[in-house]
Amino acid sequence: MVRGIVAIIKYQQAFLSLNKSLNIAFAMLVMAVIIYCNYYEHNFFSLVLLGSNHSWLRNLTGSFLLYFIPFVGTYFIQDKKIITVCLKNKWFIVLLFLAPAIFAFRVNFNFHHSLLAEYFHGDTVIFWQKCFDWLVRFILVMIPLYILWRWKDKHIMQFYGSGALQNFKAYFIMLFIMIPVIASAAAIPSFMNMYPRAQQIHHLNIHQDVFHYFVYELSYSIDFISIEFFFRGFLILAFMRITGMNCILPAACFYCCIHLGKPMPEAISSFFGGLILGTVSYHTKSIWGGLIVHLGIAWMMEIAGFTAHAIYK
């Protein structure tokens, strides 16, 4: 266990030693501006780019730009040689466009809603739409990743990050460290408005029982598997053989962008969490450590949300 924690610390030291502090600072500045605009300038990115009143194509384009600009921009601020890499490796250019396109499509896909409306009615259809959203998004991420892996990377590596991980206990220690952080955030109004996510079914006129909450939480949990395969698997392991460790910072910026609209402390911490988990994936070639931490934090936030609502409301 101690050896695992030491290894994780060494991963972070290796990342910091191979990346100029100015590059990291600039990436943090870019994300700080994006976060500021989103939370203090009328939710600029959430509403202007991703507003629900826009057409589906407008929302898809807005999502793509929101992910693409900081993701690609961070690659170019790190190393001037990236331009040479792009000129020599056309597949890298394809990946730069394909990655944000896959996730933008995932976020905006809702065509299954009308299909469910044919089988369910009233608030019941809303419940199943919410649950199926995560399952459908899981499929929309995993199928393209599997195709890309079979096409380009099967002969080089196991499916992005599916390799075995050692030192599992070290990741549970990381979760234990997060308990006081989550507990202190639980009473913040923005946190209580967002968590537990299961509160989204409280107002629905359905027979709410253990089954409904179990299905909802299970669907919510499935989403984290595809998130880890995408951000700590695909964005790290597919890119690292082209750019080396330069893939970690762009993936963290991308990861931060998908948290806009959630409580601001969560959006900020997602950037640093993306860096830490990205370095772990880079060195271990496995997403399971990140999944333990990510899913564990999600469940703790659900528990903290239920507890906070019981105490303060």
Side-chain angles (χ1 to χ4, degrees):
M1 180 175 63
V2 174
R3 184 166 50 191
I5 295 174
V6 171
I8 293 173
I9 294 174
K10 288 183 177 180
Y11 298 157
Q12 312 313 314
Q13 292 174 336
F15 169 75
L16 293 174
S17 64
L18 291 177
N19 283 267
K20 296 179 181 179
S21 57
L22 185 61
N23 293 338
I24 299 175
F26 188 81
M28 291 173 61
L29 177 62
V30 170
M31 297 315 302
V33 171
I34 291 176
I35 289 172
Y36 175 84
C37 290
N38 188 73
Y39 290 95
Y40 292 105
E41 296 297 330
H42 308 293
N43 291 327
F44 176 79
F45 290 101
S46 294
L47 296 178
V48 176
L49 293 179
L50 313 176
S52 58
N53 293 326
H54 299 317
S55 67
W56 183 82
L57 184 59
R58 169 69 183 275
N59 288 338
L60 180 67
T61 305
S63 298
F64 175 81
L65 293 174
L66 176 61
Y67 307 144
F68 177 81
I69 294 172
F71 175 61
V72 175
T74 309
Y75 266 110
F76 285 91
I77 67 170
Q78 286 187 99
D79 191 348
K80 296 178 181 179
K81 295 180 181 179
I82 290 296
I83 298 177
T84 305
V85 173
C86 288
L87 294 175
K88 291 183 177 180
N89 193 327
K90 299 300 187 293
W91 178 242
F92 178 59
I93 299 177
V94 172
L95 289 178
L96 288 179
F97 282 88
L98 196 58
I102 290 173
F103 208 85
F105 187 74
R106 167 208 181 270
V107 168
N108 290 280
F109 188 92
N110 57 11
F111 299 106
H112 57 289
H113 287 185
S114 58
L115 180 63
L116 290 170
E118 296 181 7
Y119 296 92
F120 301 99
H121 304 283
D123 285 355
T124 304
V125 70
I126 298 176
F127 169 78
W128 287 111
Q129 283 174 350
K130 291 179 180 294
C131 294
F132 270 88
D133 278 347
W134 287 308
L135 178 59
V136 169
R137 290 171 180 175
F138 171 86
I139 295 172
L140 290 174
V141 168
M142 297 303 289
I143 288 180
L145 295 194
Y146 184 75
I147 293 173
L148 290 171
W149 173 74
R150 292 274 302 185
W151 183 20
K152 282 288 185 179
D153 295 321
K154 181 182 178 181
H155 63 291
I156 300 175
M157 65 182 79
Q158 290 181 279
F159 181 63
Y160 301 126
S162 61
L165 177 70
Q166 299 179 350
N167 300 316
F168 276 93
K169 292 181 180 180
Y171 299 95
F172 287 101
I173 293 295
M174 293 172 66
L175 282 179
F176 182 78
I177 294 173
M178 288 300 298
I179 291 177
V181 178
I182 294 174
S184 62
I188 299 174
S190 61
F191 183 97
M192 294 180 66
N193 289 335
M194 182 67 66
Y195 298 100
R197 297 296 296 268
Q199 68 182 311
Q200 294 184 17
I201 68 173
H202 286 349
H203 67 283
L204 299 181
N205 185 23
I206 60 175
H207 178 62
Q208 297 178 14
D209 53 18
V210 175
F211 170 76
H212 286 90
Y213 282 102
F214 175 78
V215 170
Y216 189 90
E217 293 290 356
L218 178 62
S219 303
Y220 177 51
S221 300
I222 287 174
D223 188 50
F224 289 92
I225 300 175
S226 62
I227 291 291
E228 287 303 314
F229 270 107
F230 185 84
F231 285 96
R232 257 65 72 177
F234 176 59
L235 291 191
I236 299 297
L237 302 181
F239 284 78
M240 64 179 282
R241 65 188 184 91
I242 304 173
T243 66
M245 199 172 284
N246 285 332
C247 65
I248 296 174
L249 196 55
C253 291
F254 193 158
Y255 185 59
C256 180
C257 286
I258 74 169
H259 288 79
L260 299 178
K262 293 187 176 183
M264 187 170 68
E266 185 177 350
I268 296 172
S269 62
S270 68
F271 173 79
F272 299 99
L275 288 179
I276 294 172
L277 296 179
T279 58
V280 170
S281 174
Y282 180 89
H283 288 279
T284 64
K285 310 299 184 292
S286 173
I287 61 103
W288 302 122
L291 184 61
I292 290 172
V293 174
H294 200 174
L295 194 55
I297 290 176
W299 285 341
M300 288 195 296
M301 290 171 76
E302 287 293 286
I303 294 172
F306 276 115
T307 305
H309 279 267
I311 295 174
Y312 299 109
K313 288 191 175 182

